[in-house]
Amino acid sequence: MRVLLKIFEKISPIFEEGGKLAAIKPLYEAIENFCFAPSAKARCAPFSRDPLDIKRYMTMVIIGLLPCVVASLYFFGLRVIPMIIVSYMTGGTVEVVFSIIRKEPIAEGFLVTGLIFPLILPPATPLWMVALGCAFGVFVGKEVFGGTGRNLFNPAIVGRCFLVLAYPAVMSSSWVKPGHGITGRLLEYVSSANIEAITSATPLVEAKHGLEDMSHMFMGLDISGCLGETSALMILCGGIFLLLTKVANWRTVVSILGSAVIFEAILHRVNPEQFAPGMWHLFAGGLMFGAFFMATDPVSSPSTNEGKWMYGILIGVIVILIRNFSGYVEGMMFAILLGNIAAPIIDEMVFSVRLRLLKNE
Amino acid sequence: MKFRGGYNIRFQGKPGGLLKDILLPEVLYLPLESGSFNFSALCATHGQDVGLGDVLAKDPDNHDIPLLSPTNGKVNLEAAPGHITLEDLSDDSSKSYTYHDELEHIHKKMGSAGLKRYKLLNLGAWEFVKEAYTGQIPNPLSTPQAVIVSTFRLEPFLIRGDVLLKEHLRQFTRGLEHLQSLLAYQPIYLAFPKIKSNFAAKIKEQIRGYAWVKLIEVPLKYPYDSFEIISRHIGLRHSTGSIWGVNVEGVLAIDMALTNSKPCLERAISVAGPGALMSVNLRLPTGYPLSKIKNEYGLQNSIAIDGGVLTGRLLTDDIKGVPTDCRGITFVPEQLGREFLGWLRPGFGRQSYSDCFLSSLCSHFPERLTNAVKGELRPCVSCGFCEDACPAGIMPHQLHKLIYQDDIDAVEKFRIDLCVECGLCSFVCPSKIELMQQFREMKQTILKEKEIAAAEAAKEAALESATEAE
Ligand code: SF4
Ligand code: SF4
């Protein structure tokens, strides 16, 4: 490793001010600091810092997503891999290009966006659409606002919304019947060529005909859906890991899931014919995935704990409203988007209450 | 206010409970500037012979707090810029300066209460008394609404409060009585850690006789020893009058001045930290040469800090002696190598505020702290760690955003003044934002602007009255 460090030290002057390749300094810096812990030292108090940095922070989310990736490989086959690669490459390129233009260091946010984005797409989405959606999401959802930390929306959701609105037909015909047995579809590559795998039915669509078995939905067996959202078990594994590391805030998750289930349960009580039971909705579609991995994105959710409760309840209620009373069968994406829009307003409200309390001190 | 936030960093290198006396060195360097004082009014001349307790300089902005000579010696003003250098030292106390004539004069003029305060100021005890909310030195002639006496100190690597207390329990209680005699009916709050030990029981026993002392039990969590946090906990408001904060060292100095009429010339400081050869508590005179301490106790390649690791200030080579208000010298090793794929490692040995390292599964942390920032500067991701850790109940991330926007009014509205500058927000921030540093600077700016505004208002008022007079 010492050799590698020496190499870095040797070539780093080229990227400094006035060097030949100064323009791509952000890229070089990112690679160097990826390999070796940055050498910066504390110049003012406190003279020592917590070992957690943003790389580690984002890595935790990726680890939390891994069970879902594994599940999607099992259910939907090898096609998952190129989808993830394409998403990372386009997202990364947009990020790097903008960092170079802005002369700012490359932020690690796209590491998470690049992985979440394919996981919320239908399994047979064409690769060019993955690329287009990811680029759009990162560009409009993040870079336009000034990069990571300043974005109003979750970039992955922006990308997915764009695809749904721009290519509704392709999106709704890209569902795949998940594999089963020991190997699942692990050895298959689903594409439009082996069309028999393609179906148009997700549980939420099929709900019109009759409800799926809930235990199947919990495990993800025989249930179609977006790559990452089918197996509630795997989402729980990764999601609880994320809560334990304190990277995702439990308040958001609990309030979304709780309010959605309770609201739906009330509806079910009122009219069991028309509305499904509360627990059923918990396992259907993207509710759980969204609650654990997308709504908890700290940047686009309110920054205060009280705000997170309100934000979660808002999302939970909107999901159920959209699912039951609108033309869309899946509401999580729009619910989070609306939540993102409301986040700054919620924050303002919480701030004003807090400041009033602080005034007396 | 309830106690909230706070965080105990558990690292190796804390000093124990023993205090070591240090022999007098050949020469002392008394810095004219320290963290809280600026002794700009010199009272001694070059080549003058001074005695134990003589006034060498005064701080005109801080009620003329004196810089006392810790020994007998010869003043040299030229040896080190920014310092008063004392040479030919001896601590023969027979030569020491006596206040007697002067004291009688003062007694006649100001009465016994005035005499006490005069003694406190001129015998070097007043510099230990701090305004709880602002950290400034209160006016020696004023009377506070309450006094908080803190018996503990929690910042990593500083000398613990009980080290001195154990040795001088009798003087401490006597000092409390003296302190009470300065007050009319105002209460003294004794902040005491919430622990069960024989020693704690003994102190509580001692205090029970004093009806005017109220015991406040405080959880042992940094920075609940801050006077501001304790006053807010008790419900003492800044707006209703000044609150004095005194720690054990201060009470002992008050006792020394009022019982023995002797100046307090020695400090008890910790010399500790992960970069120290050994961690000890030392009793030494102010101005003790820092180079000696560095050579004897510091490891190579470590930086020296005046104060604790979270709030201290860097001791550069320009500062040659132990400053007046020093509480401890902390050594932190410089980060030398760069870890390969450091962010990916499981991190069994890392202690982190978050639970992102496997060390959160075990309770023992062998990590040796260094001065590395351990990450790159990034925009705030609103992770909320700073708010969680903040003991003042304010929102550091929001303040950071407002400072970035240069919106001073909003910064004030979000109560930057409540920040106690504990450094926890900067410590925990994964984006490595220098939050506390920004807040310190912003508070200075606000203070300055207020001063300018006040001066202008005064000028206008003067003009108006002048025109009215015409
Ligand atoms: S700890 Fe740092 S990144 Fe997290 S909210 Fe506070 S300022 Fe932002
Ligand atoms: S804002 Fe002030 S009081 Fe709060 S954690 Fe930061 S330094 Fe401490």
Side-chain angles (χ1 to χ4, degrees):
Chain A
M1 288 314 117
R2 219 167 275 162
V3 184
L4 190 59
L5 188 57
K6 282 242 168 74
I7 296 175
F8 274 129
E9 271 162 17
K10 210 171 201 177
I11 60 175
S12 70
I14 310 177
F15 300 96
E16 291 306 321
E17 260 322 302
K20 261 185 238 152
L21 297 174
I24 58 164
K25 184 172 175 217
L27 185 62
Y28 166 76
E29 245 178 14
I31 295 172
E32 184 189 322
N33 289 337
F34 179 89
C35 294
F36 293 97
S39 54
K41 287 169 190 160
R43 287 217 190 79
C44 51
F47 286 96
S48 192
R49 303 294 162 91
D50 194 278
L52 180 72
D53 67 348
I54 288 290
K55 274 200 192 65
R56 181 92 190 180
Y57 188 82
M58 296 298 179
T59 313
M60 290 299 125
V61 187
I62 294 175
I63 294 176
L65 284 167
L66 283 185
C68 296
V69 174
V70 172
S72 65
L73 271 173
Y74 170 80
F75 290 127
F76 303 115
L78 297 177
R79 196 157 183 286
V80 174
I81 296 171
M83 280 174 76
I84 292 176
I85 293 178
V86 166
S87 157
Y88 262 132
M89 276 178 18
T90 40
T93 314
V94 175
E95 178 74 37
V96 169
V97 168
F98 271 84
S99 302
I100 290 175
I101 294 175
R102 274 205 297 263
K103 295 199 171 55
E104 272 177 21
I106 296 172
E108 284 80 3
F110 81 94
L111 292 176
V112 171
T113 309
L115 187 57
I116 285 190
F117 183 65
L119 290 182
I120 55 169
L121 290 179
T125 314
L127 290 182
W128 63 267
M129 271 174 61
V130 178
L132 187 66
C134 190
F136 184 89
V138 174
F139 177 69
V140 175
K142 195 164 78 178
E143 307 300 350
V144 169
F145 292 94
T148 308
R150 302 183 193 104
N151 46 317
L152 190 58
F153 302 112
N154 188 323
I157 296 189
V158 173
R160 153 109 201 214
C161 270
F162 167 72
L163 289 185
V164 169
L165 297 178
Y167 307 97
V170 189
M171 289 292 276
S172 61
S173 64
S174 293
W175 306 110
V176 172
K177 262 239 157 295
H180 36 69
I182 295 175
T183 55
R185 287 190 193 274
L186 260 181
L187 304 173
E188 286 174 42
Y189 187 92
V190 181
S191 67
S192 34
N194 42 1
I195 200 80
E196 82 282 0
I198 310 275
T199 145
S200 71
T202 67
L204 282 164
V205 177
E206 282 181 351
K208 306 242 153 83
H209 311 291
L211 296 184
E212 289 274 355
D213 185 354
M214 222 166 351
S215 67
H216 275 195
M217 288 174 55
F218 182 68
M219 300 296 291
L221 297 174
D222 281 332
I223 307 295
S224 184
C226 296
L227 284 186
E229 69 184 28
T230 46
S231 170
L233 180 65
M234 289 304 185
I235 295 174
L236 271 179
C237 286
I240 287 174
F241 167 80
L242 217 54
L243 294 189
L244 288 179
T245 59
K246 289 198 211 161
V247 167
N249 197 308
W250 60 271
R251 294 172 186 88
T252 315
V253 179
V254 169
S255 56
I256 292 180
L257 298 181
S259 63
V261 169
I262 292 172
F263 188 36
E264 180 68 26
I266 294 172
L267 290 180
H268 183 65
R269 258 283 169 80
V270 173
N271 186 354
E273 291 292 295
Q274 195 189 344
F275 302 110
M279 290 311 270
W280 187 87
H281 267 276
L282 180 61
F283 298 130
L287 179 60
M288 221 176 208
F289 187 86
F292 274 106
F293 296 108
M294 313 199 55
T296 53
D297 169 25
V299 180
S300 54
S301 57
S303 55
T304 52
N305 286 338
E306 298 88 334
K308 285 188 167 116
W309 283 110
M310 290 154 72
Y311 172 75
I313 293 172
L314 182 74
I315 293 179
V317 170
I318 294 178
V319 169
I320 299 302
L321 286 180
I322 296 181
R323 280 187 179 180
N324 289 315
F325 301 106
S326 79
Y328 285 99
V329 285
E330 173 59 282
M332 198 54 189
M333 191 178 59
F334 287 118
I336 296 180
L337 216 52
L338 286 174
N340 288 168
I341 293 174
I345 305 163
I346 294 175
D347 258 349
E348 279 305 316
M349 280 157 49
V350 176
F351 288 164
S352 73
V353 174
R354 277 202 189 180
L355 293 184
R356 208 168 305 145
L357 290 178
L358 275 180
K359 217 175 205 166
N360 298 326
E361 298 218 11
Chain B
M1 183 191 85
K2 268 198 288 187
F3 287 110
R4 59 187 140 195
Y7 178 49
N8 281 338
I9 306 169
R10 278 170 291 167
F11 281 118
Q12 292 175 349
K14 290 202 175 180
L18 292 177
L19 197 56
K20 210 168 111 184
D21 281 298
I22 286 277
L23 291 179
L24 205 60
E26 287 91 59
V27 49
L28 290 177
Y29 300 99
L30 297 149
L32 289 175
E33 256 184 77
S34 65
S36 35
F37 301 112
N38 183 5
F39 300 104
S40 54
L42 286 182
C43 304
T45 49
H46 183 69
Q48 185 186 345
D49 278 316
V50 289
L52 210 76
D54 279 359
V55 177
L56 297 176
K58 285 184 174 174
D59 183 349
D61 299 328
N62 267 320
H63 314 288
D64 280 342
I65 291 271
L67 175 65
L68 301 179
S69 169
T71 56
N72 308 313
K74 198 175 166 159
V75 173
N76 183 344
L77 293 178
E78 282 151 16
H83 294 70
I84 293 181
T85 312
L86 283 182
E87 289 156 346
D88 303 332
L89 307 179
S90 77
D91 51 2
D92 176 10
S93 60
S94 62
K95 269 198 249 166
S96 80
Y97 177 85
T98 49
Y99 283 87
H100 275 298
D101 301 344
E102 208 176 330
L103 289 184
E104 247 165 55
H105 176 66
I106 301 273
H107 195 161
K108 270 193 202 130
K109 209 172 88 187
M110 300 167 71
S112 63
L115 179 67
K116 274 183 187 168
R117 288 168 193 249
Y118 178 84
K119 274 190 189 172
L120 288 181
L121 182 62
N122 284 290
L123 292 172
W126 196 250
E127 64 187 63
F128 293 101
V129 181
K130 297 271 157 76
E131 195 78 63
Y133 272 95
T134 56
Q136 307 282 356
I137 304 289
N139 185 346
L141 297 176
S142 66
T143 310
Q145 58 166 325
V147 178
I148 298 172
V149 175
S150 154
T151 58
F152 60 143
R153 201 176 257 154
L154 296 172
E155 192 174 344
F157 311 126
L158 287 186
I159 182 168
R160 302 196 320 242
D162 64 339
V163 175
L164 280 169
L165 201 55
K166 268 185 184 144
E167 275 187 29
H168 304 283
L169 192 54
R170 222 171 62 79
Q171 287 93 321
F172 177 73
T173 43
R174 207 165 56 195
L176 283 183
E177 281 172 18
H178 282 306
L179 203 52
Q180 198 262 340
S181 71
L182 296 176
L183 309 172
Y185 53 86
Q186 295 88 350
I188 295 182
Y189 293 95
L190 186 71
F192 201 79
K194 224 183 215 157
I195 44 169
K196 282 204 182 83
S197 71
N198 286 340
F199 183 61
K202 202 169 143 196
I203 293 179
K204 280 182 206 160
E205 197 55 42
Q206 290 263 356
I207 301 306
R208 204 150 287 154
Y210 299 140
W212 35 269
V213 173
K214 296 186 185 164
L215 202 67
I216 302 288
E217 283 195 282
V218 180
L220 265 184
K221 201 174 186 191
Y222 177 77
Y224 296 165
D225 56 336
S226 139
F227 291 124
E228 186 171 345
I229 298 284
I230 297 174
S231 342
R232 282 181 66 190
H233 173 69
I234 305 173
L236 296 171
R237 302 253 173 87
H238 184 34
S239 50
T240 50
S242 95
I243 303 150
W244 293 353
V246 196
N247 53 26
V248 176
E249 213 179 359
V251 177
L252 293 180
I254 289 173
D255 172 57
M256 186 82 129
L258 296 187
T259 309
N260 309 333
S261 295
K262 275 201 178 138
C264 168
L265 300 172
E266 280 176 328
R267 345 239 103 199
I269 66 166
S270 59
V271 174
L277 269 175
M278 52 177 163
S279 296
V280 287
N281 296 311
L282 302 179
R283 200 199 314 257
L284 41 67
T286 21
Y288 192 87
L290 277 175
S291 57
K292 267 188 123 157
I293 294 182
K294 283 185 191 167
N295 287 341
E296 225 167 296
Y297 296 99
L299 289 173
Q300 252 190 345
N301 292 321
S302 60
I303 55 168
I305 298 158
D306 170 16
V309 72
L310 287 170
T311 62
R313 94 195 145 112
L314 197 65
L315 282 173
T316 51
D317 287 341
D318 299 342
I319 305 170
K320 293 206 156 39
V322 173
T324 333
D325 54 356
C326 184
R327 295 162 302 157
I329 293 173
T330 308
F331 288 104
V332 178
E334 290 249 14
Q335 175 74 27
L336 293 176
R338 298 178 64 180
E339 214 175 15
F340 181 64
L341 292 182
W343 55 282
L344 256 185
R345 302 197 171 189
F348 278 109
R350 301 245 159 105
Q351 196 196 180
S352 172
Y353 182 77
S354 68
D355 290 326
C356 293
F357 296 88
L358 278 176
S359 60
S360 50
L361 298 177
C362 35
S363 55
H364 185 69
F365 303 102
E367 179 170 24
R368 208 165 138 255
L369 203 70
T370 66
N371 72 339
V373 176
K374 298 175 192 148
E376 300 138 280
L377 183 66
R378 289 283 181 263
C380 166
V381 293
S382 309
C383 67
F385 287 158
C386 51
E387 191 187 316
D388 268 355
C390 178
I394 50 178
M395 292 169 274
H397 50 91
Q398 211 52 38
L399 282 172
H400 161 71
K401 275 169 206 161
L402 293 171
I403 290 176
Y404 187 79
Q405 293 161 8
D406 224 3
D407 189 347
I408 296 190
D409 289 339
V411 169
E412 276 185 276
K413 213 174 94 203
F414 276 74
R415 298 308 298 267
I416 195 171
D417 57 322
L418 290 179
C419 165
V420 300
E421 298 182 16
C422 67
L424 282 178
C425 50
S426 302
F427 181 83
V428 299
C429 179
S431 298
K432 311 293 168 194
I433 301 170
E434 304 284 1
L435 296 161
M436 177 173 67
Q437 187 63 20
Q438 292 178 354
F439 300 161
R440 278 184 174 169
E441 282 164 14
M442 198 64 200
K443 279 167 135 184
Q444 290 296 330
T445 321
I446 290 176
L447 222 67
K448 248 181 231 146
E449 278 196 6
K450 281 211 172 126
E451 265 167 32
I452 294 172
E456 263 170 25
K459 222 192 258 167
E460 255 170 45
L463 262 181
E464 245 169 54
S465 61
T467 46
E468 260 172 37
E470 273 174 23

